[in-house]
Amino acid sequence: MEPGASDGSGSPGGFFALRTTAPATGGHRPLSALYAGETGPLTARVDRVAARLGAPERRVGASVAHLGLAARLWSTALGPAAIHGRFPLLDPAELHWDGALTSPDDLWWAGSATRPATVDELRAAVLETHLVPLHAALRRDGNISPRLLWGNAGSALAGALRELVRWARSQGRPDAAERAAALVSGLLDHPDLAGTVRGPRLRRASCCLYYRCPGGGLCGDCVFDHAPRTGLEARPPAP
């Protein structure tokens, strides 16, 4: 892990980067504060995303904002777990976020402890410690479906796996790809994530609502073949 964002052939990409030195801006707040009820930065983030997308409903902005942060949380844990066999203990009091910055969400980790790369450790560090209270914070902020949020969480995890596998193949690291796949398979067995993605391509079983934005279209793993406004049905469940 390097200070600031890192990308290129030596890293899976910006979603996996974790800042380890204090940023100069000073807008970062510990995620523990958000989970405890300080939802002002989250509300501002949702409003900003909704305005940028021209979202017809605020919940669309909430979904897209959530998907971006969930992807960062999974990636910063799964990446080092797959590549190094350990991952940073992302204690919410030590993991700082600035919702005013652009995607990928900027995360500053002030900790030093790491955990072994097991399904149970990853589940505890990300799903239980971050996603559960993050979902509660989003529901306090506005009307958004728990099913949509867990669908986003499953999609974000699957997306992190795809990027890790792509990177591992390009770097001649089949061990990292195999470890990532095994970890994600175990994580997707959890009741909150089970069924959120389907088939060998890990395609979503729900929609993040991005298609509702002007010119939004469909995500690469969308449950739909065509946007619902066309009147066409969703494709059948993946095998």
Side-chain angles (χ1 to χ4, degrees), residues 83-141:
I83 296 168
H84 303 297
R86 297 188 71 85
F87 68 94
L89 179 61
L90 303 174
D91 188 311
E94 298 175 334
L95 191 62
H96 299 71
W97 171 70
D98 186 349
L101 301 181
T102 57
S103 182
D105 294 68
D106 195 71
L107 295 177
W108 161 42
W109 182 49
S112 59
T114 63
R115 302 300 299 165
T118 69
V119 170
D120 287 344
E121 291 284 0
L122 281 166
R123 180 179 292 134
V126 180
L127 188 150
E128 296 170 6
T129 303
H130 285 281
L131 294 180
V132 168
L134 175 61
H135 292 185
L138 280 159
R139 292 196 298 274
R140 289 195 301 270
D141 176 72

Side-chain angles (χ1 to χ4, degrees), residues 61 69 72 85 89 104 108 167 174 183 205 237:
L69 184 52
R72 290 288 282 124
L89 179 61
W108 161 42
W167 175 88
L183 290 169

Side-chain angles (χ1 to χ4, degrees), residues 12 84 102 145 169 189 211 222 226:
H84 303 297
T102 57
S145 162
R169 288 173 177 169
D189 279 341
Y211 78 90
C222 187
H226 305 275

Side-chain angles (χ1 to χ4, degrees), residues 185-201:
S185 177
L187 289 165
L188 289 173
D189 279 341
H190 188 274
D192 286 329
L193 295 176
T196 57
V197 294
R198 299 171 178 168
R201 294 178 57 197

Side-chain angles (χ1 to χ4, degrees), residues 147 162 188 195-206 223 235-239:
R147 181 173 182 268
R162 291 187 195 95
L188 289 173
T196 57
V197 294
R198 299 171 178 168
R201 294 178 57 197
L202 299 179
R203 186 169 181 175
R204 286 188 71 130
S206 62
V223 65
R235 61 179 112 181

